[in-house]
Amino acid sequence: MNTKELKSKKLYKEYSLEIPYEEIDIEVEKKINQILPTVNIPGFRKGKAPLNIVKKKYEDNVLNEVIQKVIDTNTKKLIDEKKFSLFRSPKVELSHYEKNKPITINLKFDLKPEIKLKDFKDLKINKYEIKLGKKAEEEQFKNFIASQKNFKKIENSRQVKNTDKVIVNFESSQEDLPEYLKSQKNFPIDLGFDDGILPGLNKKLIERKVKAGEKIELKINLSKILKDDKFKITPFNFEIISIEEKIKFEITKEFLDKNGFKTEKDLKEFLVNNMKTQYEQGIKQIEKKELMDILDKNHKFELPDGVLEDDFNQIWNRLEQAKKEGSLDEDDKLLKDDELKKRYKKISERRVKLGLLMQHIASEQKIVVSEEEINKGIIEYTRQYPGQEKQIMEYFEKNPSSLDTIRAPLIEQKVIDSIISKSKTNVIKLNEDEYKKLELKTFDIKDTKK
């Protein structure tokens, strides 16, 4: 094995290995000898055909497996020789292969950074508690009432208003449309907002001043939701079945029964508890962000270049896709590519650094999640997708590696809880206005993307 160092940084190494073809040939013969007793070759008794004849017939069948074994063996030799402490499995690329000639592979290694943890007893962490007064609770109830919409079908013939709801039948003859867009019966459209299925339809109906009973043709731009420019001008035929006008919402027994409440008081209590839960979840995110800022500031260590490159490339690919779809963040649209790259490289460095740090803490403190905790996590995850629970469970069973999407946040939360339990905490009580100011300050987009 001839070894050539291509790149060398503290936590990133790249090598080229030239492996004599004899190594592959030896392993091929070993493999052929293993299968020889089971091989049937015309003109020979089972298992009695000469090695060279069997090799000629079956060499190509075992070659990929043999090459992989030789590469793995030589890669391990290099790792042991250099005494590398790997952060992750090396990236291996077969750069040159020609039968009966030396093969060449390129190897990229990301090494473990040396991380010295600060004593968590010295950390000062804020813990927040929110106090919601009667005014906030009453405001929540008023906002709920204001958000509810009741409609009543109008009997007279009049043009639509932007506060109406319209019931339509529609169909399109354009080919390649998804089934749900080809036709719909009794399809409701709240003219107060833009419907996601048929973008801009609400505005077009208002502009055309439609009335119940009318039949019209409209062209809808579906290129963004279907991600195909051929749907920029998609013709649809609409029949206006009925128009419903907005009426004042009132809490009725029917409404309470339908939503599982016995009394109006039960509804108010539910809304207050829901509001408190939302604030508590928000506080958790604020506390986590502040803790991550402290950990970032208090720990300095080298980052593996390969990991940084992979993470940034993932981010950049998403940004490129967002550009194509026109969904780039408004403040990102103001930047040129080199400025955008500078911004997101900084974000990537923080992500990688904190990810490595959390992994290191979990390893040092032997923090793991049990099978029971993972199962609970899966159940919580499936609850986000009502009606798809069975498919999601089957997916996790068939793809065990996908359980990392459940395991990782569970370990992260355990690490956070462990740090907080060892740190000095400062309890700060907030009212609603103070919470909102803190939230804005903590998650200031401009500040996090500097």
Side-chain angles (χ1 to χ4, degrees):
M1 177 178 73
N2 293 323
T3 306
K4 182 181 179 182
E5 188 176 72
L6 302 178
K7 287 183 184 178
S8 179
K9 295 185 179 181
K10 188 172 181 179
L11 296 177
Y12 178 78
K13 310 290 181 183
E14 190 172 333
Y15 288 86
S16 173
L17 300 188
E18 188 180 83
I19 304 170
Y21 196 84
E22 287 77 7
E23 288 190 33
I24 294 173
D25 208 36
I26 290 169
E27 291 299 326
V28 166
E29 289 198 4
K30 284 182 182 178
K31 194 70 181 174
I32 296 299
N33 274 313
Q34 288 175 11
I35 67 171
L36 192 59
T38 65
V39 171
N40 283 311
I41 299 287
F44 300 93
R45 283 183 296 160
K46 182 179 179 180
K48 299 299 181 180
L51 177 65
N52 62 325
I53 294 177
V54 178
K55 182 179 178 182
K56 185 177 181 181
K57 181 175 177 63
Y58 289 99
E59 182 175 9
D60 289 345
N61 294 9
V62 301
L63 201 53
N64 285 340
E65 181 184 342
V66 166
I67 290 173
Q68 187 60 56
K69 181 181 177 182
V70 170
I71 288 174
D72 291 345
T73 300
N74 282 276
T75 301
K76 187 177 184 306
K77 279 183 186 177
L78 181 63
I79 292 169
D80 292 342
E81 178 189 319
K82 300 295 181 182
K83 297 180 179 178
F84 286 155
S85 178
L86 298 182
F87 171 70
R88 62 179 182 179
S89 298
K91 289 188 174 181
V92 183
E93 177 190 350
L94 179 61
S95 60
H96 178 77
Y97 170 78
E98 190 176 344
K99 197 168 182 180
N100 297 320
K101 290 188 179 180
I103 68 169
T104 306
I105 61 172
N106 283 352
L107 297 168
K108 297 176 182 179
F109 300 102
D110 287 295
L111 310 184
K112 285 182 182 177
E114 185 179 345
I115 302 175
K116 294 180 180 179
L117 293 177
K118 296 288 184 180
D119 192 338
F120 297 140
K121 291 178 182 177
D122 297 331
L123 297 185
K124 294 179 181 179
I125 298 173
N126 291 330
K127 292 286 290 178
Y128 296 100
E129 293 178 1
I130 190 160
K131 177 69 176 174
L132 297 173
K134 287 291 180 184
K135 183 180 178 182
E137 294 176 3
E138 289 169 4
E139 192 67 27
Q140 173 76 351
F141 186 67
K142 286 180 183 178
N143 289 339
F144 171 78
I145 297 298
S147 69
Q148 300 304 300
K149 290 185 177 182
N150 261 7
F151 293 94
K152 182 181 178 182
K153 182 179 177 181
I154 61 171
E155 301 302 330
N156 60 319
S157 177
R158 68 159 173 81
Q159 298 172 351
V160 291
K161 299 178 182 178
N162 58 11
T163 55
D164 290 338
K165 181 165 76 174
V166 179
I167 309 299
V168 304
N169 293 341
F170 71 79
E171 62 178 0
S172 176
S173 58
Q174 181 154 331
E175 295 180 359
D176 301 330
L177 276 178
E179 286 299 321
Y180 73 96
L181 286 175
K182 285 183 179 178
S183 67
Q184 290 268 9
K185 297 288 186 182
N186 297 313
F187 185 77
I189 303 161
D190 187 341
L191 299 184
F193 67 94
D194 191 2
D195 180 80
I197 294 179
L198 297 172
L201 176 59
N202 61 327
K203 293 178 182 177
K204 290 179 181 289
L205 293 175
I206 294 168
E207 287 169 2
R208 290 289 290 264
K209 300 178 180 179
V210 296
K211 295 181 180 181
E214 289 187 353
K215 294 182 180 181
I216 59 171
E217 182 180 339
L218 294 172
K219 292 179 174 63
I220 308 292
N221 184 350
L222 300 176
S223 60
K224 283 189 177 180
I225 64 169
L226 297 180
K227 296 180 174 54
D228 192 330
D229 283 345
K230 73 179 179 182
F231 297 111
K232 264 189 176 180
I233 302 174
T234 309
F236 282 90
N237 291 313
F238 292 92
E239 181 183 3
I240 314 302
I241 303 301
S242 63
I243 297 172
E244 299 178 9
E245 63 182 358
K246 187 177 179 183
I247 59 175
K248 184 180 178 182
F249 173 76
E250 293 180 354
I251 298 176
T252 62
K253 186 177 185 305
E254 181 186 1
F255 173 83
L256 292 171
D257 290 342
K258 183 180 177 181
N259 290 280
F261 301 108
K262 291 182 179 179
T263 65
E264 187 174 310
K265 183 182 177 183
D266 291 338
L267 171 60
K268 286 182 178 180
E269 286 178 359
F270 170 81
L271 293 171
V272 169
N273 290 332
N274 189 50
M275 178 173 61
K276 286 179 179 177
T277 299
Q278 288 177 351
Y279 275 118
E280 286 166 3
Q281 289 173 346
I283 283 172
K284 277 188 177 181
Q285 292 304 311
I286 290 170
E287 290 173 348
K288 177 182 173 181
K289 171 66 166 55
E290 289 187 350
L291 174 59
M292 292 301 167
D293 288 344
I294 292 169
L295 293 174
D296 185 17
K297 183 179 179 181
N298 282 275
H299 294 86
K300 307 292 180 187
F301 54 88
E302 296 275 346
L303 302 177
D305 288 70
V307 179
L308 277 173
E309 183 181 355
D310 287 350
D311 187 78
F312 175 75
N313 286 340
Q314 286 179 11
I315 294 175
W316 191 251
N317 288 338
R318 288 198 296 269
L319 288 170
E320 290 287 344
Q321 188 62 35
K323 282 184 191 178
K324 290 178 183 177
E325 296 173 359
S327 58
L328 204 63
D329 289 349
E330 290 303 318
D331 59 313
D332 285 340
K333 288 178 182 178
L334 302 173
L335 301 180
K336 295 178 181 177
D337 272 4
D338 57 341
E339 295 171 319
L340 205 56
K341 284 182 178 179
K342 185 178 178 182
R343 167 180 281 184
Y344 280 96
K345 277 183 178 178
K346 185 176 179 181
I347 290 174
S348 179
E349 286 171 5
R350 176 184 163 93
R351 276 173 30 130
V352 170
K353 179 181 180 180
L354 290 172
L356 291 172
L357 190 56
M358 298 299 275
Q359 286 181 40
H360 183 74
I361 295 169
S363 176
E364 285 282 302
Q365 300 187 2
K366 296 180 172 56
I367 294 173
V368 294
V369 291
S370 66
E371 188 174 340
E372 182 183 357
E373 288 171 319
I374 290 175
N375 289 336
K376 285 181 180 178
I378 292 172
I379 291 169
E380 288 297 319
Y381 182 82
T382 58
R383 283 175 182 164
Q384 300 175 44
Y385 305 93
Q388 301 179 48
E389 292 89 346
K390 185 180 177 181
Q391 295 94 315
I392 292 171
M393 295 290 282
E394 288 175 353
Y395 176 80
F396 281 129
E397 287 174 8
K398 292 177 182 176
N399 302 275
S401 62
S402 63
L403 286 174
D404 283 341
T405 59
I406 305 296
R407 185 182 293 106
L410 291 174
I411 290 179
E412 182 183 78
Q413 189 56 53
K414 279 193 167 186
V415 171
I416 290 171
D417 293 341
S418 175
I419 295 170
I420 291 172
S421 70
K422 296 176 176 66
S423 307
K424 297 173 185 176
T425 55
N426 178 36
V427 178
I428 299 175
K429 296 187 177 182
L430 304 170
N431 58 35
E432 194 176 17
D433 289 338
E434 289 168 335
Y435 168 84
K436 288 177 180 177
K437 287 177 183 177
L438 178 63
E439 185 181 42
L440 283 172
K441 180 184 175 184
T442 304
F443 300 107
D444 185 342
I445 293 175
K446 292 179 182 177
D447 182 58
T448 59
K449 291 185 179 179
K450 282 178 185 175

